[in-house]
Amino acid sequence: MNAHPAAVTKLNAKALNVTRDRVDPNALDVVRRLRDAGFQALLVGGCVRDLLLGASPKDFDVATDATPEQVRRLFRRSRMVGRRFKIAHVHYGREFVEVSTFRKLLAANEKGDHAAHPNGLILRDNAYGTLDEDAFRRDFTVNALYYDPHGGEILDFVGGIDDIERHCLRCIGNPRERLREDPVRLLRAMRFQAKLGFALDAGITRDERLTAERLTAIPPARLFEEFVKLFLTGHAADAWRIVKTSRVRNVLFPTAPPDSPLILLAMDSTDRRVGENKPVTPGFLLAVMLWEDYRSRIEELMASRGTKRKPREAALVAAHETVAAQRATIAIPRRFSNFIHDIWHLQERLESRRPKQVHRTLSHLRFRAAYDFLLLRAEIGTVNRDLVRWWEEIQDADTERRDAMVNALRGSAPGGTRRRRRRRRGHRQDDG
């Protein structure tokens, strides 16, 4: 794409408070070994951006002129991943460093391992290039900065340093073309807006409606990955405030009420759990986001003329239809769809408190998540708080206290006499 090497601004990394001691030792080892083998190797992308912002990056990525196959041969504990965009993962125990090869955007008359859909969407991007070409094919200027830990320099080809200082997120090149190549960049822009508090350049939002509609051409599995990045990395509440007023919500989450207090509470709760290093699951957020649609479908099924559905049957049908509708845009792996179904099904059990089901409910694999869901519903006033307190008490009670609470539901005191079974009319014990 670039016939001549682009001008590069080199800055003293130490003067910008970017030093080797702030870098993951495994990433430094990857850079050193690639350089020792005669290749170029630098840290790139979000890790450099976060270092410049004074944050501690969770992941460190390396860019190199070595091909994925060469990286694979150099590092015994590595493997190649991806088809649309081949990269290598170099493993260090349970951790890994992602290593990508310098790439370029091909001109229309060039040949290479690069494929695009007629509408401009990039389907495969494995055309290798030089360092400066790699910078210009990245998405945003703040993500196209390189750090040379050996030379102690930050390399900026696209004005990323200025945009970091301005707290502005700007596309590299023509925003319309870059978003047509990959409309997922709009989701990434919203994620960085939520995470960094940066303002989006007008070029990113100018064609938001068209870009959002193009998301329907993206494989649902990839959109699920973006969903996880958007809402399960500690900035869910801010991300939802951005998404809910955009065209993206209409396309990807058409049944999620934009002003639902339940959704915002769930996002806040998820952020707290991430901050406390507690486990989070996309299944829980999806269960919350789809809850209103699920409840509406149950009501419609029960009210349908000419049908005699039982509530349980209507709930099963509604759950299937709700999840299937969402899967049309965002893939939901089976383990998460099962999780969602369980959470919804257990709400009825938690509300009814049938004595025969209490112990089974408490031992259910999804009980704690279902209880957390019930708690959120109580916080917005759709469930009685006394019900939440009852389940809170019984799950922490000893066996004797649990039995007493269950017996109280039956209307008899603990240790009281069992209710006598009603005899069927016309049936005698000595019949037959």
Side-chain angles (χ1 to χ4, degrees):
M1 186 175 179
N2 301 301
H4 303 286
V8 59
T9 299
K10 296 182 179 181
L11 302 101
N12 184 293
K14 189 174 182 180
L16 297 171
N17 196 34
V18 177
T19 53
R20 289 169 57 93
D21 63 316
R22 295 180 60 200
V23 178
D24 178 20
N26 295 333
L28 290 176
D29 182 62
V30 169
V31 171
R32 178 188 60 78
R33 291 174 62 182
L34 283 167
R35 287 169 59 93
D36 289 348
F39 298 109
Q40 286 180 280
L42 306 98
L43 296 169
V44 66
C47 64
V48 181
R49 178 200 67 218
D50 290 348
L51 287 171
L52 288 164
L53 289 169
S56 298
K58 291 185 177 180
D59 302 302
F60 288 85
D61 298 338
V62 173
T64 178
D65 57 351
T67 66
E69 292 79 9
Q70 290 172 322
V71 175
R72 178 71 181 87
R73 288 195 292 269
L74 183 62
F75 295 91
R76 183 175 59 86
R77 297 200 54 170
S78 64
R79 67 187 184 95
M80 290 170 54
V81 298
R83 182 171 58 181
R84 174 181 176 273
F85 187 87
K86 288 182 183 178
I87 56 178
H89 285 175
V90 179
H91 288 263
Y92 291 82
R94 294 184 178 180
E95 307 296 327
F96 67 85
V97 177
E98 187 171 288
V99 182
S100 61
T101 303
F102 296 151
R103 284 169 170 80
K104 65 178 178 179
L105 292 175
L106 292 181
N109 61 347
E110 288 187 277
K111 296 181 179 180
D113 189 12
H114 182 89
H117 192 275
N119 66 10
L121 180 69
I122 291 180
L123 304 177
R124 191 170 63 252
D125 183 15
N126 292 305
Y128 302 134
T130 61
L131 172 58
D132 62 299
E133 289 173 327
D134 187 70
F136 279 92
R137 65 97 199 159
R138 291 181 178 270
D139 51 8
F140 307 113
T141 60
V142 299
N143 292 338
L145 297 166
Y146 300 80
Y147 170 41
D148 178 1
H150 292 275
E153 291 181 324
I154 301 291
L155 280 62
D156 183 3
F157 294 88
V158 295
I161 292 289
D162 290 341
D163 286 338
I164 284 180
E165 292 176 350
R166 294 168 51 222
H167 281 209
C168 174
L169 199 69
R170 182 168 58 89
C171 281
I172 299 170
N174 185 315
R176 181 169 294 175
E177 291 181 4
R178 304 314 304 277
L179 292 169
R180 185 170 63 247
E181 291 167 356
D182 188 359
V184 168
R185 285 171 178 155
L186 177 58
L187 299 183
R188 286 171 55 80
M190 291 176 169
R191 171 157 59 93
F192 294 134
Q193 183 182 9
K195 175 182 177 179
L196 306 173
F198 282 17
L200 300 187
D201 180 74
I204 297 175
T205 58
R206 185 178 298 120
D207 297 320
E208 182 183 285
R209 180 187 62 79
L210 183 59
T211 305
E213 290 175 356
R214 286 176 177 271
L215 287 170
T216 58
I218 301 299
R222 186 178 175 211
L223 289 179
F224 176 77
E225 293 175 1
E226 292 300 324
F227 171 87
V228 171
K229 294 176 183 176
L230 194 59
F231 295 117
L232 279 87
T233 54
H235 311 280
D238 288 334
W240 178 246
R241 291 186 183 98
I242 294 166
V243 169
K244 74 176 187 177
T245 58
S246 74
R247 299 280 185 170
V248 166
R249 185 197 64 81
N250 297 332
V251 173
L252 298 187
F253 313 107
T255 64
D259 297 317
S260 165
L262 185 68
I263 293 178
L264 191 55
L265 271 177
M267 298 292 180
D268 282 327
S269 174
T270 298
D271 289 341
R272 285 195 300 272
R273 293 183 67 86
V274 171
E276 296 168 0
N277 291 319
K278 292 181 178 179
V280 292
T281 172
F284 188 86
L285 278 186
L286 286 167
V288 172
M289 296 175 76
L290 302 177
W291 172 251
E292 291 299 328
D293 183 51
Y294 164 67
R295 296 298 304 164
S296 295
R297 289 177 188 268
I298 291 178
E299 292 177 6
E300 291 176 5
L301 289 167
M302 294 296 293
S304 297
R305 292 183 178 180
T307 61
K308 295 182 179 181
R309 296 184 188 273
K310 295 181 179 179
R312 171 64 175 158
E313 180 188 0
L316 289 172
V317 173
H320 174 76
E321 290 180 349
T322 299
V323 172
Q326 183 61 65
R327 275 180 168 152
T329 51
I330 298 178
I332 303 177
R334 184 175 297 276
R335 66 183 184 280
F336 296 124
S337 63
N338 290 340
F339 180 96
I340 294 168
H341 287 190
D342 286 346
I343 295 299
W344 291 342
H345 172 60
L346 285 170
Q347 295 308 298
E348 190 278 330
R349 282 200 197 177
L350 293 173
E351 291 182 65
S352 64
R353 290 188 299 174
R354 297 186 186 90
K356 289 184 177 181
Q357 292 184 342
V358 169
H359 291 296
R360 194 172 12 158
T361 300
L362 286 168
S363 62
H364 196 287
L365 181 64
R366 312 292 188 201
F367 167 76
R368 186 65 204 187
Y371 168 78
D372 289 342
F373 194 111
L374 186 76
L375 183 61
L376 292 181
R377 294 173 61 206
E379 288 189 39
I380 65 171
T382 58
V383 170
N384 193 309
R385 286 185 175 273
D386 289 340
L387 182 67
V388 174
R389 283 191 283 268
W390 191 90
W391 282 105
E392 181 179 8
E393 180 181 352
I394 197 169
Q395 64 185 294
D396 295 327
D398 58 25
T399 302
E400 183 178 356
R401 177 56 184 157
R402 283 189 180 185
D403 290 342
M405 293 177 71
V406 172
N407 281 328
L409 293 177
R410 295 190 176 103
S412 61
T417 57
R418 291 167 49 185
R419 277 189 308 185
R420 298 176 61 184
R421 182 181 298 177
R422 180 186 295 176
R423 293 176 58 184
R424 295 180 184 176
R425 182 177 296 178
H427 177 78
R428 294 170 53 104
Q429 290 183 357
D430 58 353
D431 283 351

